[in-house]
Amino acid sequence: MSGYQSLAIAIFSASILGTLFFWDFRLGFAFLGTSILLFTRTIDMEHVIQFASLDVILFLVGMMVIVALLKESGFFAWIVQLILMIRRLNGPKFVVIISVVSAVLSTMTSEVVSIIFMVAAVLEICDYFEVNAAPFIIISVLATNIGSAATVLGNPIGILIATKAGLTFEDFIIKAFPLAMVCLVAAIMVVMVWYRKAIAELSVKMKEVGANEILISLISVPPGKNLKISLAVFAVTLCFISLHHRFELLLQLKPNTILLTAPLFSSGAIMIWKWQKAREYIEKDVEWWTLLFFMLLFAQAGTLKYTGATDVLARQIASVAGNSISSLIGIVLWVSTIGSSLLDNVVLVAAFIPVIQSFQGLNMNLEPLWWALLFGGCLGGNITLIGSTANIVALGIIEKEKKMKVTFFQWFGIGATVGVVTTSIVWLLLTVLPFYR
Amino acid sequence: MKIKEVMVRDVVSIKPQENAYAAWQILTNMQISGLPVINAEGKLVGMFTEKEILAHMLPSYIENVGKFIYKENPKSTKKKFSEFKSMAVSELMRREVVTTTEDTTLCEVARVMLTQKARRIPVLDKSGAVVGMVARCDVLKALAGESQE
């Protein structure tokens, strides 16, 4: 291994350790690490910019502006209202509803956005029926993380993998969505058993208290012009994102051009429509701290590829796997699952992408490896309470609202069970079904 | 004109271990929105205001969910109010407090009030002890007085 390769690996490893042990300093570490790579001529500025994946960053900026408009127009509160209005609830029905709604919403708006209003709805319902909200919030988080693997919108790693692997939204709907739904069903079955006492207690309370009339009329979101236009903008954006491959073929555009520009076009239209708030959307609602970290991290991961370090790693991994695609699927899936239970999944996926790209030289069909990476990155987030941002956000709300601390092992029991069961299902299906090969 | 010339010197304060409900009664009786919290060593440790009490009553996620209207009062509000009755001031007070010193100018305090969105600011002496309180109305009256001179 050359000096440049070793330096690239050392700096990327330092960034990973920085995010693991010094979370608040992660952007500082990313700035310093990238500067060192440039000073030492391990990489040049042109390639830093090339590897920074501006396409992914702009996609995320566009989606954050759209989400800001949806929030401001009352869309999320409207979803909370719809959940509160569900009649004739019982414990198991409530678990199925919050799991399905959490998963579906995270496929459309991202895990971190959807978990906030799902937690709001679950807390209101549990408060009303006077039961402990923690099990139901954990169920909602587990379903949110699973749902985030189903489309390119659910998690930043979805769009990252789509752009690097050349996968389309349709590929995600055909291949990832069904897998995520199978995992969701399995997770619901696990939580029904794990939390049977809490679910039974909720059923009893729901029977005792009777109809949830106060909940039904607790909040209201006037269906004003703003909400209707915002919904229309969101629906049109989703439509273009869903059909981007068809439009690109029709218009003879480069792959993923419409996928990446649809949120940009919509957010541009939003900023013209709401021109007085445009600056606020960009300055307050776009998470520049996170996006800058992503950019520099992608550049550092790109340096691994640029120096050839990932080719060395890829050859070693392939040799351990005996050049068998089934073994490689297992290695990528389980390493990314365990890794993302401790690390930010974007960090892990950014590190893995150039390694998987390097398998290209070994004449392999890489597609199952991309799905393994996607599911490992999303499902691993369920294993520990720091595994995903959605977990941290939800637990923060429980702590603040209920003055209750969910301990590492309280989470780990159910999180690891769901994580291991769902990852095993994905492993089995990716390995056995010819559809994925 | 300096702040020491316009500040209220007779400062009513509360202790961190005092009951929050009793402290709120003091606010209500004095018809003010907040009071400084001073510990046994005489140091300012926080501000106890009506805003913090209201923030405790309502769910913390209301800002993140977006625009909506409460048509009914959430059941949790009553529960949180009963909790409030047994809480200590230190559990609810705001710990980050904007302060000023006696020799600060009126315009500097006005600037701090505007930029930090503070209504009433504790005035500290060199040892860090609270020696007065200054409110927006005190600054405004003093500025008006200066302009008429």
Side-chain angles (χ1 to χ4, degrees):
Chain A
M1 196 173 276
S2 74
Y4 285 139
Q5 287 171 345
S6 308
L7 187 64
I9 292 174
I11 287 181
F12 191 76
S13 308
S15 283
I16 291 178
L17 292 173
T19 60
L20 189 58
F21 297 112
F22 308 98
W23 183 244
D24 291 335
F25 297 93
R26 66 192 186 282
L27 189 56
F29 284 136
F31 270 65
L32 287 173
T34 310
S35 308
I36 294 169
L37 290 173
L38 285 163
F39 288 148
T40 53
R41 295 184 194 164
T42 309
I43 194 166
D44 53 44
M45 188 55 92
E46 201 178 313
H47 283 92
V48 164
I49 292 165
Q50 187 193 321
F51 289 124
S53 303
L54 204 58
D55 48 356
V56 174
I57 300 298
L58 287 176
F59 176 90
L60 295 173
V61 169
M63 287 309 297
M64 285 173 183
V65 171
I66 296 169
V67 164
L69 174 78
L70 289 174
K71 180 179 149 187
E72 185 195 282
S73 63
F75 171 74
F76 298 132
W78 179 61
I79 300 282
V80 173
Q81 185 192 11
L82 292 182
I83 298 170
L84 298 184
M85 286 170 74
I86 297 169
R87 289 172 188 269
R88 287 185 291 278
L89 279 174
N90 59 39
K93 189 177 168 186
F94 179 61
V95 168
V96 173
I97 288 170
I98 58 168
S99 304
V100 172
V101 176
S102 301
V104 170
L105 285 176
S106 86
T107 66
M108 293 196 294
T109 61
S110 98
E111 40 145 15
V112 182
V113 173
S114 77
I115 196 62
I116 292 172
F117 50 92
M118 281 312 299
V119 168
V122 171
L123 273 178
E124 288 299 345
I125 291 172
C126 291
D127 274 348
Y128 184 80
F129 292 107
E130 292 174 355
V131 292
N132 177 13
F136 302 100
I137 288 176
I138 293 173
I139 291 170
S140 176
V141 176
L142 297 173
T144 298
N145 287 330
I146 292 170
S148 75
T151 71
V152 293
L153 300 171
N155 199 301
I157 66 169
I159 186 69
L160 187 59
I161 290 174
T163 52
K164 304 299 172 198
L167 296 168
T168 65
F169 192 91
E170 270 179 49
D171 292 326
F172 272 70
I173 292 296
I174 295 167
K175 303 272 178 79
F177 191 83
L179 259 188
M181 290 307 113
V182 172
C183 291
L184 181 66
V185 172
I188 292 174
M189 287 160 70
V190 171
V191 296
M192 286 281 194
V193 176
W194 193 276
Y195 288 122
R196 58 191 180 281
K197 280 184 190 163
I199 296 169
E201 190 197 340
L202 180 64
S203 287
V204 170
K205 289 275 184 177
M206 282 174 166
K207 216 170 179 179
E208 267 174 31
V209 177
N212 48 337
E213 290 306 328
I214 294 178
L215 272 184
I216 287 167
S217 54
L218 180 67
I219 65 167
S220 129
V221 181
K225 193 174 134 197
N226 265 359
L227 178 59
K228 285 177 188 164
I229 298 177
S230 307
L231 278 175
V233 170
F234 186 47
V236 170
T237 313
L238 280 186
C239 177
F240 274 96
I241 289 175
S242 317
L243 299 172
H244 75 97
H245 185 54
R246 303 282 152 188
F247 286 124
E248 284 152 8
L249 289 177
L250 190 73
L251 301 170
Q252 294 178 323
L253 292 168
K254 277 188 177 176
N256 287 347
T257 305
I258 290 184
L259 171 67
L260 294 164
T261 49
L264 270 191
F265 186 86
S266 300
S267 54
I270 290 167
M271 284 189 279
I272 289 171
W273 173 37
K274 298 268 184 185
W275 60 273
Q276 290 132 317
K277 291 212 162 180
R279 191 175 278 267
E280 194 182 316
Y281 289 146
I282 294 296
E283 288 177 358
K284 291 188 181 165
D285 294 300
V286 175
E287 289 177 47
W288 290 108
W289 173 271
T290 307
L291 294 180
L292 276 172
F293 174 69
F294 284 176
M295 279 174 79
L296 295 179
L297 187 81
F298 298 159
Q300 289 181 12
T303 311
L304 297 175
K305 185 183 174 186
Y306 180 73
T307 55
T310 49
D311 293 334
V312 177
L313 283 175
R315 275 197 299 273
Q316 283 174 349
I317 294 171
S319 126
V320 168
N323 285 325
S324 142
I325 187 76
S326 301
S327 309
L328 277 177
I329 290 171
I331 291 174
V332 172
L333 180 67
W334 285 103
V335 170
S336 55
T337 300
I338 294 164
S340 71
S341 71
L342 299 167
L343 288 171
D344 183 343
N345 60 5
V346 178
V347 176
L348 195 101
V349 168
F352 245 123
I353 282 174
V355 177
I356 293 184
Q357 285 170 333
S358 296
F359 287 137
Q360 194 87 58
L362 303 170
N363 289 326
M364 284 179 186
N365 171 23
L366 302 186
E367 201 181 306
L369 299 181
W370 293 121
W371 298 128
L373 184 59
L374 172 75
F375 277 89
C378 292
L379 301 178
N382 276 338
I383 295 178
T384 64
L385 47 75
I386 53 155
S388 108
T389 317
N391 311 4
I392 298 166
V393 169
L395 294 180
I397 298 176
I398 298 183
E399 204 175 324
K400 199 163 181 187
E401 285 299 308
K402 300 289 159 200
K403 308 275 179 282
M404 182 195 286
K405 209 164 175 77
V406 175
T407 64
F408 183 88
F409 286 103
Q410 271 173 329
W411 181 287
F412 188 71
I414 179 64
T417 309
V418 168
V420 169
V421 167
T422 51
T423 307
S424 303
I425 290 171
V426 170
W427 189 22
L428 182 75
L429 296 181
L430 284 181
T431 315
V432 170
L433 288 184
F435 178 62
Y436 287 102
R437 308 292 287 272
Chain B
M1 197 182 281
K2 298 288 166 69
I3 273 311
K4 64 183 168 196
E5 295 167 62
V6 299
M7 69 185 188
V8 175
R9 288 173 189 275
D10 189 13
V11 180
V12 177
S13 66
I14 42 183
K15 294 186 181 74
Q17 66 276 17
E18 259 181 65
N19 176 266
Y21 183 78
W24 173 57
Q25 296 296 320
I26 299 173
L27 295 186
T28 314
N29 294 338
M30 291 178 70
Q31 294 187 314
I32 52 169
S33 60
L35 280 173
V37 184
I38 296 174
N39 67 11
E41 289 80 45
K43 298 282 177 200
L44 178 74
V45 288
M47 279 293 282
F48 180 76
T49 70
E50 288 173 342
K51 190 181 169 190
E52 269 66 52
I53 305 172
L54 274 180
H56 169 73
M57 299 296 164
L58 289 183
S60 58
Y61 47 75
I62 49 170
E63 279 183 34
N64 299 321
V65 172
K67 196 170 106 185
F68 70 93
I69 300 162
Y70 269 124
K71 289 281 188 186
E72 301 275 352
N73 295 330
K75 213 174 176 180
S76 56
T77 318
K78 281 184 189 168
K79 201 176 164 191
K80 285 189 174 175
F81 195 80
S82 357
E83 279 171 17
F84 163 64
K85 286 183 173 175
S86 58
M87 285 171 93
V89 164
S90 59
E91 292 177 76
L92 284 179
M93 69 186 188
R94 188 175 72 240
R95 288 170 197 276
E96 284 161 21
V97 185
V98 179
T99 59
T100 189
T101 53
E102 294 171 279
D103 291 322
T104 311
T105 59
L106 288 177
C107 279
E108 172 54 17
V109 172
R111 188 190 68 78
V112 170
M113 283 176 161
L114 283 178
T115 54
Q116 310 281 319
K117 292 178 183 159
R119 284 165 182 268
R120 303 174 84 233
I121 300 183
V123 183
L124 308 183
D125 66 9
K126 282 175 187 163
S127 69
V130 179
V131 289
M133 287 294 288
V134 61
R136 281 182 194 165
C137 60
D138 302 323
V139 176
L140 202 54
K141 277 180 202 163
L143 284 171
E146 268 196 346
S147 68
Q148 281 167 7
E149 279 170 13

